[in-house]
Amino acid sequence: MSEPVIETHVEVDASELPRLTPHTHPLWWGVLGAVAIEAAVVANLLTSYFYLMAQNEVWPPEGVDPPDLLYATIVLFVLPLSSVTMWWAGRGSDRNRKTQLALGVTASVGLATLALVFRSFQIAAFDIRWDEHAYGSILWAITGFHFTHVVSAILGTAVVSILAWKNYFTSERQLGVVVDTLYWYFVAGVFIPIYLVLYWAPRWL
Amino acid sequence: MTDLDPALDLRRSRHDPVPEHLAELERTWLSPPGFLGWFTHVNHTSIGLRFLITSLVFFMLAGLLGLAMRMQLLSPLNGFLDPDTYNQVMTVHGTAMMFLFAIPAMEGIGIYLVPLMVGARDMAFPRLNAFGYYVYLIGGTTFFASLFLGLAPDAGWFNYVPLSNRDYSEGYGIDVWTTMITFIEVSALTAAVELIVTIFKLRVPGMSLHRMPIFVWAILVMAFMILFAMPSVIVASAFLMMDRLVETQFFVAEMGGSPLLWQHLFWFFGHPEVYIILVPALGIVTTIVVTFTQRPVFGYTALVLAIVGIGMVSFGLWVHHMYTTGLPLLGRSFFQAASAMIAIASGVQIFSWIATLWGARIRFATPMWFVLGFFGVFIAGGLTGVMVASVPFDRQVHDTYFVVAHFHYVLVGGAVFPLFAGLYYWFPKATGRLLHEGLGKWSCAIIFAGFNVTFFPMHQLGLEGMPRRVYTYLPEMDWTFLNQLSSIGSLILAAGFALTLWNVIRSLRHGADSPPNPWHAPTLDWATTSPPLNCNFARQAVVESRHPVWDWSRDGKRGVVDGLRSDRRETVVTTLLDARPQSVQILPKPTPWPFFSAVIASICFFGLIFSPWFYVAGVFGTFVTFVFWFLPRKREEVV
Ligand code: HEM
């Protein structure tokens, strides 16, 4: 073999490096990527809303009221509140306070479920069906999109809370919590632009 | 012992792993053999190859459909394909080439090469990778199956409403199209996230961003483009699915909807899509130019900026597909200017390549031939591109064969030639054998000639007014000769591709053994055995420049990482910008759950064609499999 001999020397010793780093783990970046995708979907949905709005002279169509404010506005406060409990749970997990973690995530699941109930009331009260006009279609589509996300966030967090009560999360194994929290913030936060567009755009614009 | 990783050769250094140690490492990273084992693989080398091979099979099938169309157009009023079949064949050809061949092939080559090039042992989310592959496989296979069942879509690859609305397209064809699109979105998005995180976090120590190979930059840009472009086609196809399934009115003009909304959403994805295909190809071309001139690329920073610039500007171009839809003048002018701007970034690249090639002693092996073919064909496509980017010209040739000629020049020039260059270049990496040079050069020459004979006459046909998407034409139009020329060309073209196929089959059995670094390339993908070890690298490297392998043979020494465990899958995580060592990621073992998730998700996607309840079933069904997928690993494995 004519290849020259290559001397190997160790420059990095990885045995000292931490194995479990919930806040810089690649999975954290992965969830950030998922959030970016979802945010882009929301942006497309909201842009479509305005596009359709611009194509129609009357919006919502003749004889249709914009959706009711009451329940949606309650949800607007309940969801961020559930993020606060989620954040509190995350702090508990960072400091290895297991009960705090378990209580926090359970509270979040409870609050979000409450939000879903309110949401359902309010959907039932929509003044238009999805097949009556493009306005109805986009209203239902955006609402359904967000509803599904709340459901999936609740499901995922429910699993986390069961594991938390079973004492699964040691301080090294809290990655699942960190990731779940990140996704939760997104689902709660994205309701704000959705709320503004669906509930206020037809009133203001 | 020619195919050894330098780190394995025990004569060389006392820091290299002892054989027992390496054997354990290889067992840890082994993909289980056997038929059932196949469904549990997660290693990126295995998934990346699957993506590539599957996409090449789809390329072949879609190519045969292209031939079928050419046979139909061989003479006026030909009866080879009836009109309905022609529409289906045309739609499946276009859709499959774009969604089932070009994008997945680029993803596949990225998935296979990126971890090797950045020196990682695997990708950041191996199971997600596998999931994306199965979704793609199932979606693509069903799509082709629909053609044989006569259920194929027939509204063209961009599927415009109102034609594709329920009122004008009954039957399941369009539903098959929207469903297939959903599959491809899912698999492309998983691959994109996967690639981004791998590139950001799993580069070996020392590979700061400005030392990353251009190919890796290109894949990074591609992944970001997928991330921001795909969501709009997700929204578009979801709207269309709902219009057809539950009678929403998004695209129905009488009910307040807007057909143009479809065009905006589709092209906001569709135009970047073309660059999603092109950008990785530029990475391949640069890699080959560097290796075959044996010099660093000229203007590294400019080249990176140009690639990033192309990625960004391409999002501002979509409206140039819609010049004939009655847009306001200002809008058209804006997009015309933006379309011209992309030429600047492309120019920077071309000059970087020219400067790198200038005065170098170029090694003219087959990959380099394909790169030269790329230059010729792609530049010709770029010229017609500048022509159709101008509004008045476009209004003349819109929907004629001129456009068909243009986009085949860009797509075949911009994707197929570079991909084949890459195939000849990396085949030894993946198989340990060299492809036959003589056959390769003949194949390249025949493809080049056949391609031009097929597609060049279409420019003229278009200028003479022949519309695209017609199943036949009349004898008195005087289009017969050029069509015949084109059809004959397509046979030559097919022969050229067949030659490479034969070359691959032959070389797998009888090809000459490849030395570890047959082209004397500078990047880390060549710093291991061919085919790569199960663990990719016996020792992860530490790099100090853009050309680590050249440095090592010049200095006679190299730095490595020590202290990774060999009884579980570990790879080093580094910081985003400077690639300083930060932590170690523990990667998952082989598992069948991604496969089960993909099957459940697929059943529900297809079920959606028949009933909206499958949506609910899908959400819960995939959720359950995901729980099993992520179910906490045993304590010993984690800590
Ligand atoms: C391999 C040789 C190929 C042949 C012989 C071929 C032939 C054709 C022909 C004749 C048409 C025109 C159909 C019509 O307008 O009536 C067509 C359309 C098209 N081709 Fe190809 N093609 C080839 C390769 C490719 C490749 C590699 C790509 C993309 C990567 C591609 C993408 C398309 C697309 C997107 C359309 C438009 C379909 C539509 O109008 O909806 N083709 N091809």
Side-chain angles (χ1 to χ4, degrees):
Chain A
M1 232 349 254
S2 59
E3 294 266 314
V5 171
I6 295 172
E7 179 67 29
T8 308
H9 54 100
V10 174
E11 285 191 1
V12 172
D13 183 1
S15 54
E16 301 295 307
L17 293 174
R19 265 38 179 188
L20 299 144
T21 48
H23 292 278
T24 56
H25 192 279
L27 191 56
W28 188 88
W29 289 88
V31 174
L32 202 62
V35 165
I37 295 170
E38 302 263 15
V41 171
V42 172
N44 272 286
L45 286 171
L46 297 182
T47 313
S48 303
Y49 184 96
F50 286 117
Y51 187 86
L52 290 170
M53 187 171 178
Q55 304 294 310
N56 283 276
E57 283 179 6
V58 221
W59 185 269
E62 213 72 65
V64 176
D65 289 330
D68 232 15
L69 283 177
L70 175 67
Y71 283 123
T73 314
I74 298 180
V75 172
L76 188 70
F77 288 98
V78 173
L79 279 182
L81 191 64
S82 76
S83 296
V84 174
T85 50
M86 205 65 186
W87 170 81
W88 184 70
R91 282 202 5 149
S93 121
D94 280 347
R95 307 198 174 156
N96 212 2
R97 290 191 208 128
K98 301 203 172 130
T99 330
Q100 182 176 344
L101 167 67
L103 276 177
V105 283
T106 315
S108 302
V109 170
L111 283 170
T113 313
L114 193 66
L116 274 195
V117 173
F118 287 138
R119 237 17 212 136
S120 311
F121 286 153
Q122 174 225 345
I123 292 173
F126 276 167
D127 203 15
I128 185 169
R129 278 164 51 101
W130 59 87
D131 53 359
E132 286 167 3
H133 188 273
Y135 169 74
S137 312
I138 190 86
L139 176 67
W140 278 85
I142 295 180
T143 307
F145 173 84
H146 190 250
F147 198 89
T148 314
H149 279 72
V150 179
V151 171
S152 64
I154 290 181
L155 287 176
T157 311
V159 173
V160 170
S161 75
I162 293 171
L163 289 175
W165 285 115
K166 288 179 137 185
N167 255 338
Y168 165 74
F169 295 104
T170 57
S171 61
E172 304 92 35
R173 280 204 275 180
Q174 33 153 314
L175 179 62
V177 181
V178 173
V179 163
D180 189 59
T181 317
L182 182 60
Y183 187 66
W184 191 281
Y185 292 156
F186 167 75
V187 171
V190 79
F191 187 65
I192 297 169
I194 290 182
Y195 170 82
L196 287 177
V197 172
L198 291 189
Y199 295 85
W200 289 99
R203 292 187 160 83
W204 285 341
L205 300 180
Chain B
M1 298 300 275
T2 52
D3 57 349
L4 273 186
D5 181 342
L8 303 188
D9 190 338
L10 294 180
R11 285 167 310 167
R12 289 182 178 165
S13 166
R14 65 196 162 82
H15 285 298
D16 287 317
V18 278
E20 305 87 72
H21 182 98
L22 181 69
E24 179 180 28
L25 197 59
E26 284 294 270
R27 266 198 310 282
T28 305
W29 287 87
L30 181 72
S31 297
F35 177 71
L36 289 179
W38 192 87
F39 294 95
T40 65
H41 288 197
V42 290
N43 294 32
H44 78 98
T45 37
S46 159
I47 302 293
L49 273 191
R50 285 183 199 179
F51 259 105
L52 256 175
I53 293 170
T54 312
S55 68
L56 288 173
V57 170
F58 287 139
F59 173 64
M60 205 168 72
L61 293 174
L64 290 176
L65 296 180
L67 276 187
M69 286 188 284
R70 279 324 317 169
M71 291 310 109
Q72 163 65 15
L73 297 174
L74 184 62
S75 58
L77 298 176
N78 198 358
F80 180 63
L81 298 174
D82 62 67
D84 284 339
T85 315
Y86 187 92
N87 286 348
Q88 295 191 1
V89 167
M90 166 202 94
T91 304
V92 173
H93 165 80
T95 312
M97 281 294 187
M98 299 303 258
F99 290 99
L100 300 181
F101 158 63
I103 299 186
M106 294 304 171
E107 287 162 10
I109 202 164
I111 289 173
Y112 188 84
L113 288 173
V114 161
L116 289 170
M117 280 204 180
V118 302
R121 286 203 164 149
D122 204 334
M123 299 190 84
F125 315 121
R127 291 172 294 190
L128 192 64
N129 224 355
F131 175 77
Y133 172 72
Y134 296 120
V135 169
Y136 161 57
L137 179 68
I138 298 173
T141 313
T142 329
F143 187 66
F144 265 100
S146 75
L147 187 64
F148 298 105
L149 301 175
L151 285 176
D154 56 1
W157 85 276
F158 38 72
N159 206 39
Y160 275 180
V161 289
L163 176 61
S164 59
N165 258 344
R166 206 164 7 125
D167 293 346
Y168 304 99
S169 294
E170 290 170 355
Y172 290 122
I174 304 297
D175 300 309
V176 169
W177 190 92
T178 48
T179 309
M180 192 280 303
I181 294 293
T182 314
F183 277 82
I184 299 306
E185 285 153 7
V186 170
S187 96
L189 286 169
T190 55
V193 171
E194 174 94 49
L195 285 164
I196 291 176
V197 178
T198 304
I199 295 174
F200 275 179
K201 297 303 291 176
L202 299 190
R203 301 194 311 272
V204 286
M207 190 183 281
S208 50
L209 281 184
H210 68 277
R211 289 183 187 155
M212 236 160 63
I214 297 275
F215 178 82
V216 178
W217 271 107
I219 296 287
L220 183 66
V221 171
M222 170 194 86
F224 268 104
M225 292 175 70
I226 291 181
L227 212 63
F228 292 113
M230 283 279 171
S232 69
V233 76
I234 294 188
V235 169
S237 64
F239 283 175
L240 182 59
M241 219 186 269
M242 290 191 276
D243 266 12
R244 296 178 56 86
L245 187 68
V246 294
E247 303 184 36
T248 52
Q249 312 287 352
F250 290 106
F251 302 124
V252 185
E254 309 84 78
M255 304 293 276
S258 163
L260 272 190
L261 177 60
W262 170 268
Q263 296 197 19
H264 281 294
L265 288 173
F266 187 86
W267 287 117
F268 187 77
F269 148 79
H271 194 80
E273 208 261 12
V274 182
Y275 290 85
I276 288 173
I277 299 169
L278 175 67
V279 162
L282 301 176
I284 299 177
V285 168
T286 310
T287 310
I288 292 177
V289 165
V290 167
T291 301
F292 286 77
T293 55
Q294 293 288 307
R295 4 158 120 165
V297 71
F298 180 87
Y300 175 90
T301 313
L303 203 53
V304 169
L305 287 177
I307 293 179
V308 175
I310 288 185
M312 296 200 314
V313 176
S314 70
F315 280 91
L317 302 184
W318 81 96
V319 173
H320 75 205
H321 296 266
M322 300 167 59
Y323 281 156
T324 53
T325 53
L327 294 166
L329 180 64
L330 184 67
R332 274 183 277 147
S333 313
F334 172 82
F335 284 98
Q336 178 170 343
S339 308
M341 226 161 82
I342 204 111
I344 301 177
S346 317
V348 169
Q349 300 209 17
I350 303 228
F351 284 113
S352 285
W353 292 325
I354 293 182
T356 312
L357 289 166
W358 197 271
R361 271 205 294 146
I362 305 168
R363 174 171 177 186
F364 285 103
T366 313
M368 195 65 209
W369 279 46
F370 275 100
V371 165
L372 295 180
F374 154 82
F375 284 144
V377 174
F378 186 71
I379 291 176
L383 289 179
T384 52
V386 175
M387 292 162 79
V388 289
S390 100
V391 177
F393 186 84
D394 182 67
R395 293 190 142 202
Q396 290 306 310
V397 298
H398 186 84
D399 258 336
T400 70
Y401 259 88
F402 191 87
V403 174
V404 178
H406 158 68
F407 66 68
H408 280 90
Y409 267 82
V410 209
L411 289 169
V412 176
V416 178
F417 274 89
L419 210 61
F420 273 64
L423 179 73
Y424 277 87
Y425 181 74
W426 279 294
F427 188 83
K429 175 84 272 171
T431 64
R433 291 177 190 270
L434 291 164
L435 284 168
H436 191 275
E437 277 289 303
L439 283 175
K441 286 177 180 162
W442 272 109
S443 167
C444 179
I446 296 174
I447 291 175
F448 187 82
F451 174 80
N452 282 296
V453 178
T454 313
F455 291 100
F456 198 79
M458 291 186 187
H459 292 112
Q460 181 61 25
L461 279 172
L463 293 175
E464 286 175 18
M466 177 164 170
R468 69 191 277 204
R469 297 179 169 171
V470 287
Y471 79 100
T472 195
Y473 50 94
L474 297 173
E476 52 278 20
M477 301 306 294
D478 264 349
W479 295 334
T480 315
F481 172 68
L482 288 177
N483 270 303
Q484 273 168 353
L485 197 61
S486 167
S487 295
I488 292 170
S490 68
L491 291 175
I492 305 179
L493 182 57
F497 287 129
L499 209 55
T500 287
L501 180 65
W502 164 241
N503 196 354
V504 167
I505 295 172
R506 191 192 143 278
S507 303
L508 279 177
R509 301 237 189 110
H510 313 294
D513 280 335
S514 160
N517 189 354
W519 319 112
H520 194 50
T523 41
L524 288 181
D525 42 336
W526 299 100
T528 178
T529 55
S530 304
L533 301 169
N534 296 340
C535 62
N536 283 357
F537 302 95
R539 280 266 194 271
Q540 287 193 267
V542 176
V543 306
E544 280 157 10
S545 80
R546 282 177 201 147
H547 307 288
V549 178
W550 288 350
D551 293 352
W552 297 344
S553 50
R554 189 193 53 220
D555 305 342
K557 66 182 172 65
R558 62 180 210 132
V560 293
V561 176
D562 190 27
L564 290 176
R565 285 181 35 180
S566 52
D567 56 348
R568 66 179 182 204
R569 300 184 168 203
E570 293 196 333
T571 192
V572 172
V573 177
T574 54
T575 53
L576 177 59
L577 297 177
D578 314 331
R580 272 176 286 106
Q582 190 176 32
S583 59
V584 170
Q585 187 184 3
I586 303 161
L587 293 167
K589 292 195 290 203
T591 154
W593 283 104
F595 174 71
F596 295 133
S597 297
V599 170
I600 301 272
S602 309
I603 293 175
C604 295
F605 281 144
F606 280 114
L608 268 182
I609 299 180
F610 304 99
S611 155
W613 285 106
F614 274 98
Y615 180 67
V616 183
V619 170
F620 287 97
T622 39
F623 176 74
V624 171
T625 53
F626 279 172
V627 170
F628 279 104
W629 171 344
F630 288 111
L631 200 66
R633 286 171 260 164
K634 296 225 172 53
R635 195 170 280 259
E636 335 55 279
E637 283 176 46
V638 186
V639 186

